[in-house]
Amino acid sequence: MKANSLLKGLVGAAFLLGAAVSAHAADTLAAVKAAGTLKVGTETAFAPFDYIDAGEHTGLNVDLFAEIGKELGVKIEWVALPWDGVFPALEAGKFDVVAGPATITKKRMERYRFTPPIAEATIAILKKAGDTTISKPEDIAGKTIGVGKATAQLDQLKEFSATLPTKVDVREYPAFTESYADLAAGRIAGVANSLPNIAFVASQRKGTFEVVLPPFGKKSYFGFIGLKDADHAPLMDAIDAAMLKIKADGRMAELQKKWFGASFDTPDAVKDPAF
Amino acid sequence: MSIKLFELLLQASIYTVTISVVSILIGFAIAIVISAMLLSRQRLFVLPAQIFISFFRGAPLLVQLLLIYNLLPVIGINVPSIVAAVVGLSLCTAAYQAENLRGGFASVPAGLVESAEMVGMTPIQIFRRIRAPIALRLTFQALVNEAILILKASSLVSVVGIVELTRMAQDLAGSTFLPLEIFASAGLIYLVINWIVALAGGLIERSLPGVPR
């Protein structure tokens, strides 16, 4: 008798749990609003989007998600992971969206859903100030260039390298900050990253770093990343709507000016990325 | 390097110490159970204990942490970063500590146990007065060693989203471009923490009952 009621209780509990889990899964927007927090995954090593300034987590992402949080009426909770761990953790449901940002690419679009772009992502080279051996992108042929592991910039650099007479010696780093440190220490000749990032680094460390212009490769954009499935559609729709509102009323341009020194035009959505 | 940066490193080291200490204690509790299973001579208990040890001692801690963090949600258990970190470190250290304990109990001189039986001690008395104190005495240095190893291995938990001492040092080195000063300071903090652990271990060991010195 006792065992029987225990069994019944367990079955009931399992059923309730299952119902709770599936209710959660059905509508992530409702779950986020009910919890009052939007969990955002990021790597905190991608200035000026997301970095640690003497211990403070800061950057364009922090400001922009603060606005998104206001629009959705929720608080923002940050989860910092190494970049190559961010996508697995997104799929494991550790957070609702990835701040990154990530370059919008065809391959990533097959698996993930991107928000409206927040900046241009076209790649350029950062060199040591006063390095006369590199004056245009093609000059990196045969030199050692640092780039982030598991990034779209890595793919672009490799593609560019294949067009050069001597290949680039590509060195991959877990985070871009480490590649900048190696560049400052003279261990590598340059770092390949998206223009907004290296322009910010160069402006922060005048006399140490310089940007090699023009950018090379195909024009691309940065967006935030979420899951593509139906469960996440309401949440991603709400984030998209919030971002487009922030863009329309000029707050986005203000933040771009604050973090990049200039605002620039980005499309409302990238349907067909260049690569 | 400013005082502020050093303070940030010290704050992050609180995570390092807390996570390590909690994991060592939980790991020790699990290790007692696992080592008892190993010593039971019942296949039903020995086999699972052996599987536990060979997995958690055999796979790299980094892989275990990523599995706990990213794979458990697949079966519906979504653990927060801090839980994943503590569970990963605890299970890993439990496997090592269980082997140490097993070795300790196996090294208790059979003669001592037989003499205790001769004078009429019950098995529980023998465990409490003879076997446990001697085994603890024999394994204590290994336990201190393991605590130091876990303190250093805790630098891996940044992969599940904990900003501990090493990760904070990396972040600060990246944003300040002062890698030398910052990593030297982080190394010094680890050194001091482990020195305290070793010192405390030595003091406790001297007060332990057991084999006469």
Side-chain angles (χ1 to χ4, degrees), chain A residues 42-45 51-56 79-82 85 88-90 92-95 177-178 180-181 184 201 205 209, chain B residues 4-5 8 66 68-71 73 77-81 158-163 167-168 170-177 179:
Chain A
T42 193
E43 68 161 339
T44 66
Y51 66 108
I52 306 289
D53 184 13
E56 292 289 322
V79 181
L81 291 181
L90 172 69
K94 295 296 173 181
F95 29 76
T177 46
E178 289 154 27
Y180 300 142
V201 174
R205 303 285 291 183
F209 299 129
Chain B
K4 172 147 196 281
L5 295 182
L8 288 166
L66 289 171
I68 291 166
Y69 191 63
N70 289 327
L71 212 63
I77 309 168
N78 202 343
V79 289
S81 296
S158 61
V159 298
V160 297
I162 306 280
V163 181
R167 174 66 189 264
M168 180 57 89
Q170 284 170 340
D171 279 346
L172 292 180
S175 61
T176 61
F177 300 97

Side-chain angles (χ1 to χ4, degrees), chain A residues 111-222:
Chain A
R111 198 166 174 90
Y112 304 108
R113 177 173 159 171
F114 279 92
T115 65
I118 55 167
E120 200 181 312
T122 312
I123 190 170
I125 296 290
L126 184 74
K127 67 168 181 178
K128 245 189 142 166
D131 180 354
T132 50
T133 63
I134 305 177
S135 56
K136 54 185 185 302
E138 288 74 16
D139 292 340
I140 64 172
K143 290 189 156 62
T144 308
I145 301 295
V147 68
K149 204 164 84 182
T151 59
Q153 290 83 3
L154 171 64
D155 298 341
Q156 291 187 72
L157 179 64
K158 281 186 176 159
E159 210 171 280
F160 180 65
S161 166
T163 67
L164 298 172
T166 26
K167 280 206 171 145
V168 174
D169 176 16
V170 177
R171 188 171 299 174
E172 297 176 29
Y173 289 84
F176 273 101
T177 46
E178 289 154 27
S179 66
Y180 300 142
D182 266 9
L183 178 61
R187 290 193 194 96
I188 51 178
V191 173
N193 198 355
S194 296
L195 187 57
N197 301 87
I198 61 166
F200 177 79
V201 174
S203 74
Q204 291 286 297
R205 303 285 291 183
K206 286 193 187 90
T208 307
F209 299 129
E210 263 174 45
V211 179
V212 181
L213 289 171
F216 57 89
K218 292 163 193 150
K219 196 164 189 164
S220 56
Y221 294 95
F222 277 129

Side-chain angles (χ1 to χ4, degrees), chain B residues 80-149:
Chain B
S81 296
I82 187 87
V83 176
V86 169
V87 169
L89 285 176
S90 301
L91 293 177
C92 180
T93 185
Y96 285 94
Q97 291 188 47
E99 272 296 305
N100 288 340
L101 281 176
R102 189 193 58 78
F105 276 104
S107 305
V108 174
L112 280 181
V113 178
E114 281 164 17
S115 330
E117 282 166 352
M118 294 272 277
V119 298
M121 282 194 192
T122 64
I124 289 172
Q125 280 175 324
I126 294 174
F127 181 82
R128 214 159 48 85
R129 294 190 189 165
I130 312 285
R131 297 182 55 173
I134 292 175
L136 186 64
R137 184 75 174 75
L138 287 172
T139 53
F140 192 75
Q141 261 319 314
L143 182 67
V144 174
N145 239 345
E146 185 59 26
I148 290 173
L149 285 175

Side-chain angles (χ1 to χ4, degrees), chain A:
Chain A
M1 183 65 193
K2 246 186 192 165
N4 200 5
S5 58
L6 181 71
L7 194 69
K8 266 185 193 161
L10 279 176
V11 170
F15 185 76
L16 279 178
L17 194 70
V21 166
S22 59
H24 170 86
D27 187 352
T28 44
L29 179 62
V32 163
K33 290 216 160 157
T37 16
L38 178 68
K39 284 195 188 171
V40 187
T42 193
E43 68 161 339
T44 66
F46 203 57
F49 293 96
D50 208 340
Y51 66 108
I52 306 289
D53 184 13
E56 292 289 322
H57 181 204
T58 183
L60 176 80
N61 287 350
V62 178
D63 289 353
L64 191 51
F65 267 99
E67 298 297 327
I68 294 170
K70 270 185 225 160
E71 293 297 323
L72 298 180
V74 294
K75 278 190 296 188
I76 304 295
E77 185 186 322
W78 292 93
V79 181
L81 291 181
W83 181 244
D84 41 9
V86 163
F87 286 102
L90 172 69
E91 296 191 23
K94 295 296 173 181
F95 29 76
D96 308 300
V97 61
V98 169
T103 310
I104 302 173
T105 65
K106 282 196 174 84
K107 218 160 103 191
R108 283 178 177 157
M109 275 180 89
E110 281 169 19
R111 198 166 174 90
Y112 304 108
R113 177 173 159 171
F114 279 92
T115 65
I118 55 167
E120 200 181 312
T122 312
I123 190 170
I125 296 290
L126 184 74
K127 67 168 181 178
K128 245 189 142 166
D131 180 354
T132 50
T133 63
I134 305 177
S135 56
K136 54 185 185 302
E138 288 74 16
D139 292 340
I140 64 172
K143 290 189 156 62
T144 308
I145 301 295
V147 68
K149 204 164 84 182
T151 59
Q153 290 83 3
L154 171 64
D155 298 341
Q156 291 187 72
L157 179 64
K158 281 186 176 159
E159 210 171 280
F160 180 65
S161 166
T163 67
L164 298 172
T166 26
K167 280 206 171 145
V168 174
D169 176 16
V170 177
R171 188 171 299 174
E172 297 176 29
Y173 289 84
F176 273 101
T177 46
E178 289 154 27
S179 66
Y180 300 142
D182 266 9
L183 178 61
R187 290 193 194 96
I188 51 178
V191 173
N193 198 355
S194 296
L195 187 57
N197 301 87
I198 61 166
F200 177 79
V201 174
S203 74
Q204 291 286 297
R205 303 285 291 183
K206 286 193 187 90
T208 307
F209 299 129
E210 263 174 45
V211 179
V212 181
L213 289 171
F216 57 89
K218 292 163 193 150
K219 196 164 189 164
S220 56
Y221 294 95
F222 277 129
F224 300 138
I225 312 100
L227 290 174
K228 230 179 166 178
D229 55 34
D231 294 346
H232 286 79
L235 175 68
M236 294 307 288
D237 287 344
I239 293 175
D240 285 4
M243 285 177 69
L244 289 177
K245 193 175 160 201
I246 291 163
K247 190 180 161 190
D249 64 16
R251 276 179 284 172
M252 180 92 90
E254 242 170 72
L255 289 178
Q256 286 176 343
K257 218 171 270 167
K258 176 178 170 190
W259 292 104
F260 307 133
S263 63
F264 40 97
D265 272 340
T266 50
D268 281 354
V270 175
K271 291 255 151 54
D272 188 27
F275 57 91

Side-chain angles (χ1 to χ4, degrees), chain B residues 3-210:
Chain B
I3 299 288
K4 172 147 196 281
L5 295 182
F6 194 73
E7 277 176 10
L8 288 166
L9 289 177
L10 282 181
Q11 277 169 21
S13 69
I14 294 174
Y15 272 95
T16 295
V17 171
T18 313
I19 290 175
S20 305
V21 168
V22 171
S23 303
I24 282 286
L25 294 178
I26 297 175
F28 187 64
I30 301 172
I32 291 175
V33 177
I34 300 286
S35 62
M37 286 165 75
L38 281 176
L39 291 164
S40 72
R41 299 201 196 97
Q42 298 260 357
R43 256 185 79 85
L44 187 68
F45 292 126
V46 174
L47 197 66
Q50 280 173 340
I51 291 171
F52 178 91
I53 288 176
S54 54
F55 179 76
F56 287 103
R57 212 171 50 162
L61 180 57
L62 185 69
V63 174
Q64 291 170 25
L65 286 167
L66 289 171
L67 281 179
I68 291 166
Y69 191 63
N70 289 327
L71 212 63
L72 285 187
V74 175
I75 54 167
I77 309 168
N78 202 343
V79 289
S81 296
I82 187 87
V83 176
V86 169
V87 169
L89 285 176
S90 301
L91 293 177
C92 180
T93 185
Y96 285 94
Q97 291 188 47
E99 272 296 305
N100 288 340
L101 281 176
R102 189 193 58 78
F105 276 104
S107 305
V108 174
L112 280 181
V113 178
E114 281 164 17
S115 330
E117 282 166 352
M118 294 272 277
V119 298
M121 282 194 192
T122 64
I124 289 172
Q125 280 175 324
I126 294 174
F127 181 82
R128 214 159 48 85
R129 294 190 189 165
I130 312 285
R131 297 182 55 173
I134 292 175
L136 186 64
R137 184 75 174 75
L138 287 172
T139 53
F140 192 75
Q141 261 319 314
L143 182 67
V144 174
N145 239 345
E146 185 59 26
I148 290 173
L149 285 175
I150 285 297
L151 266 156
K152 291 189 287 182
S154 71
S155 63
L156 293 174
V157 302
S158 61
V159 298
V160 297
I162 306 280
V163 181
E164 42 59 65
L165 182 51
T166 300
R167 174 66 189 264
M168 180 57 89
Q170 284 170 340
D171 279 346
L172 292 180
S175 61
T176 61
F177 300 97
L178 297 169
L180 191 66
E181 292 90 331
I182 286 169
F183 287 122
S185 307
L188 191 72
I189 295 174
Y190 275 115
L191 208 65
V192 170
I193 294 171
N194 284 327
W195 179 71
I196 293 172
V197 170
L199 197 74
L203 287 175
I204 296 169
E205 192 186 22
R206 246 170 277 166
S207 68
L208 284 180

